[in-house]
Every structure is written in C-alpha cells, then in structure tokens.
Amino acid sequence: MRRALSALTHETVLSQAISGVFAIVQLGILTRLLDVSDYAIYVVAAAIWAIANAAVGVGIGIRISNDAANGSTSIAFTVSERYRTLLAVLICGVSFAILSGTPVECILVGVTLLSYVACESAIAFVVGSRQFRKFLYVFTVRSGAPVIVMVLWAFLGDLSFTGAVIALMIGQFSAAMMLWRHFSVQKPSVASLSSGLTGSISLGMWVLASADKIILEQLVNPEELASYAMAYGLLDRVFRAIQNIYTSRNMADAFSGKLGKSSHWLSLGILALALVMSPVAVVACGIISGGRYQPDLLLALVISLGLAIMTLSAPPYLKMMSTKKYAGPIIVIYGIASGNILGNILLAPKFGVLGAGLLTLAAYLTWLGYLYSYSVRFATKVSVP
C-alpha cells in the first residue's frame, strides 16, 4: 500500500496530473472563446509547432538529458543545434504564412517555437539529473501560466488567435527561465549523443502524429477538423501523460543500461483504458466546448486505440534510444510517416477525419511492431558472446 501511494504521489505523476487539469481548462478556453476559424488556425499552428519542435527541441532535449545523466551541470547548446533551431524558427514562420496568417502572426508562431525549445531543454535537464521536484515546478508553470494569461486576456477583451499564441509563448519561456542559472552560452562539455539523429527520429514521430491535421485543414470543413483535433488533443493528453511518466522516470536508467522490463498488466491496462476513454472523450468534448464540437463514438475509439498503441511503444522506444544506433529506426519511421501523409492526401477527400484516424492507428501499430522486433534483435546480438 505504501509503495503504491509513493508511486501515485511521485513528482512525475503529480506533474502530469496538474498538467492534465490545466490542459483541459485551456482546451475549454480555446474551444469556447475562439471562433471556429481561429480555433482551426490554432490547430494548424499547434501541428507546425509539434513537428518543428520534434525536429530540433526533442533531439536537443534527449541529448541534454543524456549529458545530465552523465554528470553535466549546465544546459548548453552546440553550434549546429543553434543554427538548426534558428532555421526551424524561420521555417515555422514561413510555413504558417503559406498556410494561413498575417506577418505578425507568423513572427509570433516562429518565436513560440523558440520558447518550446527552451522549455524542452529545461525539462530534459531536470529529468536527466533526476531532479524530479524541479521537474514538477517547471511542468506546473509550463502548463499553468498560459491558462492564467488567456483568462486575463479574455477578461480584458476578446481572446483571439494572437492572444492564445502569446499566452502559450509566455508559459514556455517562464518555465524555462526557472532554470536560467543552468543555461550556458558555452558549448556542451560532454555531448556524447547526437541531437541531430535523435531529433530525426522524433521528427518522424511527430510528423506521423500531426501532419494529418495540416492536410485536413485544406480538405475538410473547419468544424470537422476542430472536432477531430479536440478529441485527439484530449485523448493525447491522457495517453501522452502515461508515456511521459514512464519516459521521465526511466530515461536516465535507459541511458545507463539499467532499464527493466515493462509489465504485461500495464499494457493490458492501457488497452482497456482506450476502450473506456472513447465514450468519455465524446461526452467531455461536448461539455468542454459548450456543445460546439463533439466527435462520434467510432472516431473517438479509433483515436483512442491509436494513442494507446503509441503509449505502448514507450518501453521499446527507450531501449532503442539506449543503443545509440539509429540508422534503421530513422528509415522506418520516415517510411511510416510518408505512408501516412500519402494516405491522408488520397483518402481524406472521401473518408475525412475517420480515414485520418485509421491511418494513424495503422501507423502506430507498424511502429510498435518494428520497435519490439528491433529490441529483440539487439538483445540477441548483445547476449551472443
């Protein structure tokens, strides 16, 4: 009993619970106060941030976490990481300009990506150094500050797309600056892991998770896209929280070769949770949005199962990352992501958001199967004298 209570009150669990509450509140604010066109544009911007942050922020974060686990006491960036980040900021703004947005909005979207990278780096540092109390504080500010700013903005006037982006940017920078003493202009002293390679894998995964929303923006009506994005965002919050808890608690062990086996009961529990969360998501979307957006049950089930499969990939993913051999995984994830994009372009005009959900489910199943086969092959090679 004491062990279970300790696990439930661990900082990584508390941070995800607090973040989840703020995420639901933020979702309610966005879906109720933004008009349909502004919310649809926000969905596109969020997809761009997810992909761009995966291209640079996540890879840098994994490298910083690895360095921290090996004794580094600073958050520093290599020259190539700095150039890649600036290039990603530029591409992010230009991409948004092509799809939708004024010059001011494009600049804000680009700068917001920079805030993502800064916050990702701060969180990675405390995870790698196992400073879970600081992890809780940083995560709380990251998720809570945007909500506070949005509420103040709405109180002073109408909340717009611009206001929502500024609120998000303030939250990310505020969380990162909690560790300002650890940020350094010097180059990393250890840097034993390539952030470019790890970032490439993460980019492929986020393209898989987010590109469909960018494609759908051109092919379905805003209400349909908004309902799909809201259901996906709500369910993603649940399953990614579980994934983040596992990853943050085990990343240091993975890089130090101490990662144990995951429980089969946990896997069954996650799949059961997917079935339970499907009708919950339908009802929750309607309540949170004030009845404006509500997906049907089949769509919610498909999304929920896909995200459950994504969560189940966390243990073999960490094992793969710990091998520091990424050529095969990079080729596979980009092949899967490319197939997902092509499938959305071909099928979305006829099958809409349900087709997108089914393609994502199939893609996550393929990725999970590959990761398990990869971990088995690597374990076999290691065990051979």
Side-chain angles (χ1 to χ4, degrees), residues 14-28 143-144 147 237:
L14 292 175
S15 65
Q16 295 300 325
I18 294 171
S19 176
V21 171
F22 278 123
I24 292 173
V25 175
Q26 180 178 316
L27 194 58
S143 54
V147 171
R237 168 52 56 185

Side-chain angles (χ1 to χ4, degrees), residues 154-359:
F155 180 77
L156 296 173
D158 292 335
L159 181 66
S160 63
F161 169 80
T162 300
V165 173
I166 291 175
L168 185 63
M169 179 174 58
I170 290 174
Q172 301 275 355
F173 275 133
S174 298
M177 288 303 99
M178 292 180 70
L179 297 179
W180 67 270
R181 292 178 181 274
H182 293 280
F183 280 89
S184 173
V185 296
Q186 304 297 322
K187 289 188 284 188
S189 56
V190 278
S192 58
L193 191 67
S194 169
S195 63
L197 292 176
T198 55
S200 295
I201 297 173
S202 180
L203 173 60
M205 294 175 65
W206 277 104
V207 168
L208 168 60
S210 304
D212 58 347
K213 298 166 190 67
I214 298 175
I215 296 168
L216 288 170
E217 196 266 340
Q218 306 293 324
L219 299 174
V220 302
N221 63 63
E223 290 83 0
E224 191 177 2
L225 173 60
S227 296
Y228 174 66
M230 186 177 184
Y232 193 100
L234 194 61
L235 290 165
D236 182 77
R237 168 52 56 185
V238 174
F239 289 102
R240 201 169 292 278
I242 299 171
Q243 185 185 59
N244 288 342
I245 290 170
Y246 179 86
T247 301
S248 59
R249 294 189 68 173
N250 292 281
M251 183 172 287
D253 288 341
F255 283 122
S256 58
K258 301 176 183 177
L259 184 64
K261 292 184 178 180
S262 59
S263 169
H264 293 301
W265 288 109
L266 178 61
S267 300
L268 291 174
I270 290 172
L271 291 174
L273 181 63
L275 299 178
V276 173
M277 285 303 302
S278 302
V280 172
V282 174
V283 176
C285 284
I287 294 173
I288 293 171
S289 67
R292 299 179 74 185
Y293 312 114
Q294 193 163 22
D296 60 47
L297 181 59
L298 178 58
L299 176 61
L301 176 61
V302 169
I303 295 172
S304 190
L305 286 173
L307 291 171
I309 298 301
M310 174 204 74
T311 305
L312 293 177
S313 70
Y317 175 78
L318 278 185
K319 289 180 182 179
M320 179 272 294
M321 294 300 295
S322 68
T323 67
K324 300 181 182 179
K325 299 180 184 298
Y326 306 136
I330 288 174
I331 294 172
V332 171
I333 191 59
Y334 277 98
I336 295 172
S338 298
N340 184 262
I341 291 173
L342 180 60
N344 273 283
I345 292 173
L346 295 176
L347 300 179
K350 183 176 181 179
F351 297 101
V353 293
L354 180 59
L358 288 169
L359 285 167

Side-chain angles (χ1 to χ4, degrees), residues 4-226:
L5 182 61
S6 176
L8 289 173
T9 57
H10 192 274
E11 288 89 345
T12 54
V13 178
L14 292 175
S15 65
Q16 295 300 325
I18 294 171
S19 176
V21 171
F22 278 123
I24 292 173
V25 175
Q26 180 178 316
L27 194 58
I29 292 171
L30 293 172
T31 54
R32 286 173 178 256
L33 300 184
L34 293 181
D35 60 39
V36 176
S37 59
D38 263 6
Y39 183 58
I41 294 172
Y42 185 88
V43 169
V44 173
I48 293 173
W49 288 325
I51 294 172
N53 183 52
V56 288
V58 175
I60 292 172
I62 292 174
R63 195 269 303 158
I64 288 174
S65 185
N66 179 70
D67 290 352
N70 286 284
S72 175
T73 58
S74 64
I75 302 172
F77 305 91
T78 65
V79 174
S80 64
E81 287 171 351
R82 297 173 193 181
Y83 281 125
R84 288 206 313 273
T85 301
L86 291 176
L87 179 60
V89 168
L90 178 62
I91 293 174
C92 197
V94 171
S95 299
F96 188 74
I98 294 172
L99 293 170
S100 177
T102 65
V104 173
E105 290 173 343
C106 296
I107 292 172
L108 286 174
V109 168
V111 176
T112 299
L113 173 64
L114 191 62
S115 73
Y116 267 94
V117 175
C119 190
E120 195 80 42
S121 301
I123 290 174
F125 176 77
V126 293
V127 168
S129 56
R130 305 184 71 85
Q131 300 180 57
F132 294 120
R133 182 62 59 85
K134 286 186 177 179
F135 174 79
L136 173 61
Y137 296 155
V138 172
F139 226 82
T140 300
V141 171
R142 180 191 196 182
S143 54
V147 171
I148 294 172
V149 176
M150 287 181 190
V151 169
L152 290 174
W153 197 294
F155 180 77
L156 296 173
D158 292 335
L159 181 66
S160 63
F161 169 80
T162 300
V165 173
I166 291 175
L168 185 63
M169 179 174 58
I170 290 174
Q172 301 275 355
F173 275 133
S174 298
M177 288 303 99
M178 292 180 70
L179 297 179
W180 67 270
R181 292 178 181 274
H182 293 280
F183 280 89
S184 173
V185 296
Q186 304 297 322
K187 289 188 284 188
S189 56
V190 278
S192 58
L193 191 67
S194 169
S195 63
L197 292 176
T198 55
S200 295
I201 297 173
S202 180
L203 173 60
M205 294 175 65
W206 277 104
V207 168
L208 168 60
S210 304
D212 58 347
K213 298 166 190 67
I214 298 175
I215 296 168
L216 288 170
E217 196 266 340
Q218 306 293 324
L219 299 174
V220 302
N221 63 63
E223 290 83 0
E224 191 177 2
L225 173 60

